[in-house]
Amino acid sequence: MNFGFTPEQHELVDRVNRLVHERIAPRAARHDQYEVPLEDIDDLFREGWLLANLDKKRGGLGYGLHGDDPLSFFLIDEHLAYGNPSTAHCFQVHNNALMMIDAMATEEQIQRWIEPTVKRGALIPGAGAEPYGSPPTAAKRVKGGYLVSGTKHYATNASSAEWLWIGRVASDSHAKPIMFMIHRDTPGLRIDADIWRPTGMRACVSPWIYLADCFVPAENLLGKPGQFLGENWMGKINFAFTANYLGSARAMYDWALHYVRQRRSGDDSYRQLRFGELKSMIDAARLILYNAVKMFQDDADGAMIAAHEAKWMAKETLQKVMWSAAEVCGSTALFRKYPLERFYRDMHLHMMHGRHDIAAQIVGASELGEPYDVNRTH
């Protein structure tokens, strides 16, 4: 399949694939123990990819939706997921937060907040969600800043961060939610990584963050109140989730293909049918995603709809791959000695980000000329 990559993008994919096959994939099973894949992060730091979505004028690579080369970020994410979806998620959460800072912050703020990444490879988490039943995170205006209390969960990268992005905070002095950056050493801030004990994505350590009257200086506010949802940042994040799904689907497909070939059972017409279906669905989903990314600079609204098409198609494809791979390979392929078992657990959990039908509903509402919200997740 010719996806229309530039020579530079082909070269980038080759670099990522070498790293994945030589280093990331071989140690993925070892990292599957609720621990941050620090060796992988160190490799990404050495490659310069922790600055993927930073503007070139600030020393970044200029990738991501707001960059000169939007697609390259998603190609890195997709191909990292081929080796370890948890590593890919750590990479995309960090770079999406970096892209947001680059787009919203002042020059002084940017330099201060990215310094730990530039010098030490520190990651930046995104923490906007709250556990069900928890009181909304709230900020009380005081002299020089705010006192913030609340709980955030699914804060991927928090245990490897120096500065943490905290979003969707209600304030007594603003009508719309605010965002801010907070240093991990702030009194009253507690990061609980031990709570991260899911069935899959175990290396994608995503702690709970507890804030108890944490003082946040006014100069640490990011952007304007309401800017996160107002500029559809929740919707923009969907692009990278989709890239992760597709990289994982490709990894499972390729493993199953090799497994069947090795056992010389490829002459079975049923298996041929299944692999034909999977190959077609994977290629179609990749095309939709790449097209959505390429659309963004000229038609951001249309790109957001196309991104939901891609996300829905990627999840449909993943479910088909997970069912069919086990069917054509047999249950032995799901023993823990094979990587397929880990990918099954990872994707079963990771696909729960936002209900599957919502993506299709958003596309359908757009088609019918009805109102829709590209930030909607539930």
Side-chain angles (χ1 to χ4, degrees):
M1 178 68 68
N2 182 356
F3 293 108
F5 299 155
T6 66
E8 293 78 14
Q9 289 166 345
H10 277 294
E11 183 179 348
L12 176 64
V13 167
D14 288 342
R15 281 176 59 198
V16 181
N17 283 341
R18 281 196 299 273
L19 179 63
V20 165
H21 289 292
E22 293 174 8
R23 299 174 66 84
I24 291 177
R27 59 194 176 210
R30 177 159 51 85
H31 287 312
D32 188 40
Q33 301 297 327
Y34 310 108
E35 63 176 42
V36 178
L38 293 177
E39 295 163 298
D40 295 355
I41 304 305
D42 287 343
D43 282 334
L44 299 181
F45 175 55
R46 282 190 290 271
E47 293 285 350
W49 295 332
L50 294 186
L51 300 177
N53 287 3
L54 184 67
D55 196 299
K56 287 182 179 178
K57 68 184 179 185
R58 299 188 179 97
L61 300 180
Y63 297 163
L65 292 177
H66 290 267
D68 301 324
D69 178 7
L71 184 58
S72 283
F73 165 57
F74 302 99
L75 293 177
I76 296 174
D77 191 39
E78 177 189 340
H79 289 79
L80 287 176
Y82 190 97
N84 190 338
S86 289
T87 298
H89 190 61
C90 293
F91 164 80
Q92 72 95 348
V93 167
H94 165 80
N95 267 292
N96 271 318
L98 185 67
M99 180 170 66
M100 205 180 331
I101 291 169
D102 195 42
M104 298 182 187
T106 67
E107 192 65 35
E108 183 277 328
Q109 287 176 323
I110 293 170
Q111 296 306 320
R112 180 156 49 95
W113 293 335
I114 71 170
E115 184 263 352
T117 299
V118 173
K119 292 189 175 179
R120 296 178 288 279
L123 299 178
I124 303 174
E130 293 163 346
Y132 177 76
S134 295
T137 304
K140 180 182 178 182
R141 193 73 163 97
V142 295
K143 184 178 179 180
Y146 300 81
L147 286 180
V148 182
S149 295
T151 304
K152 296 292 185 181
H153 67 165
Y154 287 98
T156 305
N157 297 333
S159 52
S160 303
E162 294 184 33
W163 284 101
L164 296 82
W165 176 86
I166 307 292
R168 303 167 86 173
V169 176
S171 164
D172 64 356
S173 53
H174 300 285
K176 295 181 179 180
I178 61 174
M179 304 175 286
F180 56 83
M181 298 292 288
I182 187 169
H183 197 273
R184 68 174 297 124
D185 293 334
T186 300
L189 173 67
R190 181 166 66 90
I191 299 171
D192 179 10
D194 291 335
I195 200 169
W196 187 248
R197 292 294 183 270
T199 56
M201 299 295 284
R202 294 175 178 179
C204 173
V205 177
S206 303
W208 268 225
I209 298 175
Y210 298 95
L211 304 137
D213 284 335
C214 294
F215 177 70
V216 178
E219 61 264 25
N220 284 357
L221 259 62
L222 173 62
K224 301 173 183 177
Q227 192 171 0
F228 180 76
L229 293 180
E231 294 184 353
N232 295 326
W233 284 91
M234 195 69 218
K236 292 172 186 176
I237 291 169
N238 276 325
F239 287 79
F241 275 86
T242 303
N244 193 314
Y245 299 155
L246 292 175
S248 301
R250 287 178 46 237
M252 288 186 277
Y253 172 88
D254 285 353
W255 189 89
L257 192 68
H258 175 74
Y259 189 88
V260 169
R261 284 174 173 173
Q262 204 173 40
R263 281 153 182 73
R264 301 182 185 278
S265 51
D267 59 346
D268 174 55
S269 61
Y270 172 78
R271 289 185 171 89
Q272 293 169 2
L273 169 64
R274 286 289 172 261
F275 281 112
E277 290 175 335
L278 299 182
K279 178 67 164 60
S280 302
M281 293 179 74
I282 290 171
D283 284 350
R286 293 177 78 190
L287 279 169
I288 298 171
L289 174 63
Y290 300 159
N291 182 63
V293 173
K294 292 174 182 177
M295 285 173 63
F296 187 82
Q297 290 181 329
D298 296 324
D299 180 10
D301 291 340
M304 298 301 290
I305 296 298
H308 281 84
E309 275 190 73
K311 187 176 183 182
W312 182 86
M313 187 66 182
K315 282 191 174 184
E316 286 286 303
T317 301
L318 257 179
Q319 292 180 71
K320 184 74 172 180
V321 169
M322 291 168 72
W323 171 255
S324 297
E327 241 191 339
V328 299
C329 294
S331 59
T332 304
L334 291 175
F335 283 21
R336 290 195 65 182
K337 68 176 182 176
Y338 297 124
L340 197 63
E341 183 267 346
R342 174 174 50 81
F343 274 101
Y344 266 52
R345 287 189 288 104
D346 284 351
M347 287 302 104
H348 186 263
L349 183 92
H350 205 37
M351 280 195 292
M352 297 299 105
H353 175 265
R355 293 205 303 270
H356 179 42
D357 291 341
I358 289 173
Q361 180 272 325
I362 290 170
V363 175
S366 172
E367 286 292 291
L368 293 167
E370 297 295 330
Y372 59 86
D373 179 6
V374 296
N375 292 308
R376 184 184 170 208
T377 60
H378 59 271

